[in-house]
Amino acid sequence: MAKNYTSKKRTIEDLELIATKIREDIIKSLEKAGSGHSAGPLGLADIFTALYFDIMKHDPKDPTWDQRDIFILSNGHCAPVLYTTLAHAGYFEIAELSTLRKFGSRLQGHPERERLPGIETTSGPLGCGLSQAAGMALAMKINKDYHRWIYCTLGDGEQNEGNVWEAAMLIAKYNLHNVIAITDRNNIQIDGTTEHVMPLEDLRAKWESFGWHVIDINGNDIDSIIDATAMARSIVEKPVMILAHTIPGKGVDFMEGDYHWHGIPVGIEDVAGAPPKNEQAKSALHQLRTLEGKIRSEHE
Amino acid sequence: MNNLHLVDLTSGEVKMEPIRKGFGRGLLEAGKINDQVVALCADLTGSTQISLFAEAFPERFIEVGVAEQNLVTVAAGLAAMGKIPFTSSYAAFSPGRNWEQFKTTACINNQPVKIVGSHAGLYTGPDGATHQMLEDIALMRCLPNNVVVVPCDSVEAEKATLALAADKRPGYIRLARDSSAVLTTDKTPFEIGKAQVFSEGSDVTIVACGTMVYQALQAAEQLFLDGIDAEVINMSTIKPFDAVTLIQSARKTGAVITVEEAQINGGLGSAVAEALGEEFPVPLKRMGVKDRFGESGTADELLNHFGLTSSHIAIQAHAIVKNK
Ligand SMILES: Cc1ncc(C[n+]2csc(CCOP(=O)(O)OP(=O)(O)O)c2C)c(N)n1
Ligand SMILES: [Mg+2]
């Protein structure tokens, strides 16, 4: 049975407000957890907002609906943005976000399929998401299930893994064009910038030479994200890779572009260029609430 | 305190340090002693502590990116040319992801590739099941030629690293992330393949490795007050396995408990069960994570949850002694 999942068409401004709230809750839940990843999740908030509040066909009240689109978080360490988005979309109470990474929580340090509705697969160990997307797409093909899409986000550093390129070849071989891959091209990984740790460029040429259609976008612009996925759905000759150029730590000035924030939350260490640790959360939340005055906020 | 020069755990504050720190220091030292030692990392330079070596010997350090299969196979190439490569990542991914590559290119080739598995076991804490490597002891123990070391503290990790650097075989060293008690001193001897009796007793033998050695010693203190004389063995080398020390102790006490912060299937407990079963069967209780995955939490919460604290060990000791 078809569901009326798009009943609430939202404006870009509404979506931006949702993204801001998601960023605030990412900061808050990570601060409470005392560990976890900040930069990737903040950079991805616009993509997640666009996916769960505009692009994807899904039903928070029926997470296993057999006609839903599927989302795979191959870069599993970015769990905070997925959890926060799922909560805001109505999969579970927002209050539960404060249990992130705690003993007994459904919000494990890395997402687990068996624990939380809305999680399609367990991830954290990098490089495995796209292959699972391929398997799901193959199953849909066998089942003649032609109206479902599989969205898969990958980190850029993650693409150091050979497994990613094994999936890339297979998806092109079978032209599994209902797989829409999105790279979080934020130029950072743990040991430094991607081009320093393991150069990825020319990343566009790499994916093209593997048989993919590549779309470069500003991954912090919700309009572009919606546009690019719409275009991706209309391209059937090839699978599509969206290279979403994002700013790691987006929205918090002392985190933006700094790889030190890959794997730590606010409040645990003093980082050069950032406020002292006990003031980081306050500063981050203040910036997010007003986006330096550029965005209206209910907290104003 | 004794001829093993252990720290006296009953007097004052116990020093705490992550086991991985000892590895970092040991590798730096190994690099100074032998210029054939090289190091490779897969985008986890700081957290695996290989950064100390990388900073001191940048020309002998190779960053392979997030690519654990490449990590060990490149190392096998280096080893084939006479180098002694130490490769570091989280244990969940190395050897978790590259086991076959390690088997073929390091173990069948019998090349001295060393896998340093950091963040193994429950001391990985909030990262959860995907990152808490509990299967590594089983995976590495079944590989011919391979040496498997699970140091009990940071000081032993430092010595074990130096010993592995001087050893011609492939090897695995298991490290933990969070701080754990320091029990040994610079003077405590360490030898690959040699278990050590850390505390002598006659009623029950507790065989432990890694962070569980501290819990076992604490349990022995507690048991002493209850009138049970427990012997504690630090089985820091899992392979080659020191069955001689184990069986000597089992002959004396007639009951054995094993404790590890790893899957109960295939690990230290299995090695002990195999040796006792074939040579000197006695009542045995294996303690570990019982065929389940880990989860997020602090190390203390998880040890308690999985029944791996000193009090849990003491309870098992009472039971096994009673039924002897
Ligand atoms: C197989 C595997 N190896 C190593 C890690 C440890 N790790 C977690 S995130 C990360 C860096 C990934 O970089 P990227 O994909 O660019 O993510 P970002 O830092 O941008 O969030 C690494 C090496 C892992 N999770 N899985
Ligand atoms: Mg990145």
Side-chain angles (χ1 to χ4, degrees):
Chain A
M1 201 192 72
K3 298 201 184 200
N4 194 10
Y5 60 95
T6 50
S7 61
K8 242 172 114 189
K9 227 16 196 172
R10 294 177 180 84
T11 64
I12 296 298
E13 286 71 31
D14 287 342
L15 291 169
E16 281 175 352
L17 261 186
I18 295 172
T20 302
K21 289 210 184 104
I22 287 174
R23 286 193 165 93
E24 286 178 25
D25 279 337
I26 289 172
I27 294 286
K28 285 192 217 158
S29 58
L30 281 168
E31 189 198 15
K32 192 103 200 287
S35 69
H37 302 76
S38 297
L42 288 174
L44 283 164
D46 304 301
I47 292 172
F48 276 67
T49 302
L51 284 170
Y52 279 89
F53 289 88
D54 189 277
I55 299 165
M56 287 203 309
K57 185 170 62 171
H58 68 113
D59 181 358
K61 298 286 165 273
D62 185 6
T64 58
W65 175 34
D66 66 4
Q67 286 307 305
R68 73 192 183 283
D69 290 339
I70 290 189
F71 175 73
I72 295 178
L73 182 76
S74 190
N75 44 343
H77 62 281
C78 293
V81 67
L82 177 56
Y83 293 151
T84 309
T85 308
L86 288 175
H88 280 265
Y91 282 82
F92 54 87
E93 295 294 320
I94 289 174
E96 195 172 343
L97 292 172
S98 66
T99 67
L100 175 69
R101 292 180 153 251
K102 303 269 187 237
F103 181 68
S105 172
R106 299 194 291 174
L107 312 188
Q108 292 287 297
H110 293 83
E112 285 181 38
R113 177 179 187 271
E114 295 279 279
R115 287 186 194 261
L116 190 67
I119 304 294
E120 301 279 3
T121 187
T122 299
S123 59
L126 296 164
C128 304
L130 201 54
S131 293
Q132 293 173 79
M136 291 172 179
L138 285 166
M140 288 179 190
K141 207 168 177 174
I142 294 166
N143 296 343
K144 304 200 182 343
D145 201 357
Y146 295 126
H147 305 286
R148 299 176 67 190
W149 303 92
I150 302 166
Y151 297 89
C152 175
T153 56
L154 297 93
D156 48 4
E158 178 179 10
Q159 295 174 31
N160 297 170
E161 290 283 355
N163 206 150
V164 172
W165 302 98
E166 296 169 29
M169 280 189 280
L170 183 127
I171 291 172
K173 174 185 172 187
Y174 289 102
N175 189 19
L176 304 172
H177 57 80
N178 60 335
V179 172
I180 297 175
I182 304 173
T183 294
D184 179 21
R185 186 68 175 116
N186 64 6
N187 296 294
I188 64 159
Q189 53 193 102
I190 295 183
D191 283 348
T193 64
T194 57
E195 299 318 285
H196 174 75
V197 175
M198 185 52 66
L200 289 169
E201 290 300 332
D202 186 338
L203 191 56
R204 180 187 187 96
K206 282 192 176 70
W207 282 98
E208 282 175 344
S209 71
F210 273 70
W212 289 58
H213 181 95
V214 179
I215 305 173
D216 279 276
I217 63 163
N218 172 357
N220 292 122
D221 178 39
I222 291 179
D223 221 356
S224 308
I225 300 159
I226 294 172
D227 243 26
T229 50
M231 190 201 259
R233 286 191 301 274
S234 72
I235 294 172
V236 295
E237 317 85 280
K238 287 177 176 183
V240 174
M241 167 56 81
I242 297 172
L243 291 181
H245 298 268
T246 65
I247 295 175
K250 173 76 181 174
V252 178
D253 61 4
F254 58 85
M255 290 188 186
E256 286 191 359
D258 184 353
Y259 69 83
H260 286 113
W261 290 96
H262 156 90
I264 52 167
V266 287
I268 60 155
E269 52 182 82
D270 292 318
V271 174
K277 62 182 174 189
N278 54 340
E279 283 167 32
Q280 289 165 358
K282 210 172 119 213
S283 165
L285 288 171
H286 178 74
Q287 291 179 45
L288 287 169
R289 278 167 190 164
T290 62
L291 273 187
E292 290 165 336
K294 285 199 272 300
I295 281 190
R296 76 196 151 88
S297 160
E298 62 176 1
H299 305 282
E300 274 174 307
Chain B
M1 177 197 167
N2 52 32
N3 60 353
L4 292 178
H5 303 281
L6 299 177
V7 173
D8 180 2
L9 296 173
T10 54
S11 71
E13 282 268 293
V14 177
K15 191 186 158 200
M16 305 284 285
E17 192 184 38
I19 293 179
R20 60 195 163 112
K21 294 254 181 197
F23 157 72
R25 288 193 296 266
L27 187 63
L28 178 63
E29 190 57 30
K32 289 179 190 159
I33 295 169
N34 184 349
D35 65 5
Q36 294 301 304
V37 171
V38 297
L40 300 88
C41 190
D43 198 21
L44 289 166
T45 308
S47 49
T48 62
Q49 294 292 310
I50 210 162
S51 44
L52 265 64
F53 182 100
E55 280 153 23
F57 306 108
E59 73 292 355
R60 282 194 264 152
F61 173 71
I62 297 135
E63 167 72 82
V64 303
V66 198
E68 297 77 14
Q69 302 173 82
N70 211 24
L71 178 73
V72 295
T73 39
V74 169
L78 284 157
M81 301 302 284
K83 303 293 176 199
I84 300 159
F86 278 76
T87 65
S88 80
S89 179
Y90 293 167
F93 318 129
S94 179
R97 179 161 293 189
N98 51 23
W99 183 87
E100 183 278 328
Q101 282 89 347
F102 181 68
K103 172 191 162 179
T104 305
T105 66
C107 297
I108 297 183
N109 278 338
N110 200 14
Q111 295 286 5
V113 174
K114 319 292 175 176
I115 292 188
V116 180
S118 180
H119 294 49
L122 300 172
Y123 276 69
T124 306
D127 277 322
T130 54
H131 285 51
Q132 290 160 0
M133 184 49 151
L134 301 175
E135 298 79 19
D136 54 334
I137 301 180
L139 276 178
M140 297 315 269
R141 186 170 90 76
C142 65
L143 286 171
N145 293 335
N146 195 26
V147 172
V148 181
V149 185
V150 184
C152 69
D153 65 7
S154 56
V155 175
E156 190 171 65
E158 190 172 340
K159 288 177 229 162
T161 304
L162 284 161
L164 283 169
D167 193 284
K168 294 273 175 283
R169 294 167 285 187
Y172 175 59
I173 181 168
R174 177 186 225 239
L175 309 174
R177 171 166 82 183
D178 284 356
S179 284
S180 55
V182 176
L183 331 163
T184 65
T185 61
D186 291 344
K187 293 198 190 110
T188 309
F190 173 83
E191 196 185 315
I192 289 175
K194 187 84 195 79
Q196 278 166 343
V197 178
F198 270 14
S199 171
E200 282 182 28
S202 52
D203 295 331
V204 57
T205 303
I206 307 173
V207 186
C209 64
T211 57
M212 290 295 105
V213 176
Y214 174 67
Q215 301 293 338
L217 288 170
Q218 295 285 94
E221 294 280 339
Q222 208 171 311
L223 288 164
F224 184 73
L225 301 176
D226 302 345
I228 291 179
D229 201 5
E231 175 144 308
V232 176
I233 296 181
N234 172 24
M235 191 63 81
S236 51
T237 312
I238 308 289
K239 189 172 186 291
F241 187 73
D242 185 358
V244 173
T245 302
L246 169 71
I247 284 161
Q248 241 166 30
S249 178
R251 276 187 201 284
K252 181 168 63 168
T253 63
V256 175
I257 294 174
T258 64
V259 205
E260 65 200 300
E261 203 209 308
Q263 286 301 349
I264 195 134
N265 296 321
L268 167 70
S270 296
V272 167
E274 289 156 17
L276 291 177
E278 283 182 354
E279 292 183 49
F280 190 74
V282 292
L284 169 69
K285 178 73 196 173
R286 292 177 300 139
M287 298 177 70
V289 178
K290 299 193 184 73
D291 202 18
R292 291 158 64 188
F293 290 113
E295 58 183 279
S296 292
T298 63
D300 283 345
E301 283 167 338
L302 295 171
L303 293 187
N304 202 34
H305 177 66
F306 288 106
L308 293 171
T309 68
S310 56
S311 338
H312 290 98
I313 300 172
I315 291 168
Q316 295 298 340
H318 274 282
I320 207 166
V321 168
K322 202 163 126 205
N323 296 328
K324 243 187 351 187

